[in-house]
Amino acid sequence: MAKIGLFFGSNTGKTRKVAKSIKKRFDDETMSDAVNVNRVSAEDFAQYQFLILGTPTLGEGELPGLSSDCENESWEEFLPKIEGLDFSGKTVALFGLGDQVGYPENFLDAMGELHSFFTERGAKVVGAWSTDGYEFEGSTAVVDGKFVGLALDLDNQSGKTDERVAAWLAQIAPEFGLSL
Ligand SMILES: Cc1cc2nc3c(=O)[nH]c(=O)nc-3n(C[C@H](O)[C@H](O)[C@H](O)COP(=O)(O)O)c2cc1C
């Protein structure tokens, strides 16, 4: 089993694409394949001490899933399967995709939901990211003046994605024991 589990939800494939680009930077011992959360069991997910988790925000500030009109199940359906687990001693880093122009009042809210879910269950969530360079009005993914994880907007700032991903991975590397 790889040291770090890499899981994502995605509706139109952008979050999947970013997850795959993260996987490409690491060998199989370090990083699992990028796996859609609708394909993992609670048991397999719970085996990892280190997790990198990605989500788009859909609906009006919602997690992806059947209620936000995704074609397939996603985080909305997966979280209830792990809601009874204790994540103490585990380290989690989050990345979120959203659209700050189209949804400025709910920018990246789903990443905020994942942050609440995992911190409430004892996880150490790392990888907070500056809000500089983004324009939006509200986001539950901002805590203490920073995003709770990597903020990506492939709808409006796709040209910044690679450099943001690289800088963020370098930032979380010490927490995850990663060599880059
Ligand atoms: C119906 C719909 C609702 C959306 N709602 C939000 C939202 O509330 N907040 C946000 O930041 N982005 C929102 N977005 C933008 C998506 O999060 C963004 O396009 C993302 O890159 C999609 O990722 P995916 O291709 O992995 O599904 C919405 C997009 C759609 C199509």
Side-chain angles (χ1 to χ4, degrees):
M1 191 181 92
K3 178 176 171 187
I4 301 168
L6 174 59
F7 299 98
F8 64 90
S10 188
N11 189 38
T12 55
K14 295 192 185 94
T15 314
R16 173 187 292 111
K17 189 175 146 203
V18 173
K20 288 193 181 253
S21 81
I22 291 175
K23 162 61 188 168
K24 268 198 196 144
R25 297 166 190 256
F26 301 97
D27 62 27
D28 291 342
E29 274 176 35
T30 307
M31 191 77 65
S32 76
D33 281 336
V35 175
N36 193 312
V37 271
N38 61 23
R39 291 171 170 252
V40 65
S41 67
E43 292 72 26
D44 287 349
F45 188 90
Q47 283 180 3
Y48 291 97
Q49 191 194 339
F50 297 98
L51 290 158
I52 295 182
L53 308 176
T55 189
T57 298
L58 294 172
E60 281 189 33
E62 288 161 46
L63 286 170
L66 300 179
S67 347
S68 54
D69 288 336
C70 291
E71 275 185 39
N72 298 301
E73 294 190 351
S74 190
W75 283 114
E76 179 194 5
E77 291 77 18
F78 183 67
L79 292 185
K81 296 180 187 166
I82 56 167
E83 68 185 352
L85 299 183
D86 178 11
F87 286 87
S88 319
K90 294 181 188 276
T91 302
V92 173
L94 303 171
F95 65 96
L97 274 73
D99 171 354
Q100 64 200 292
V101 176
Y103 303 89
E105 288 173 7
N106 303 98
F107 184 44
L108 301 171
D109 277 6
M111 182 163 70
E113 276 199 48
L114 290 188
H115 175 260
S116 304
F117 182 92
F118 287 100
T119 50
E120 280 164 16
R121 288 164 181 78
K124 178 180 180 192
V125 178
V126 301
W129 187 251
S130 170
T131 57
D132 292 352
Y134 304 84
E135 271 186 51
F136 59 98
E137 276 150 41
S139 174
T140 58
V142 175
V143 174
D144 295 335
K146 285 190 154 194
F147 289 115
V148 294
L150 175 62
L152 297 173
D153 182 342
L154 275 68
D155 295 272
N156 306 292
Q157 299 177 325
S158 61
K160 296 196 171 171
T161 302
D162 285 349
E163 80 188 61
R164 284 174 171 167
V165 168
W168 181 71
L169 287 171
Q171 182 186 316
I172 66 171
E175 308 270 9
F176 279 72
L178 290 173
S179 49
L180 291 167

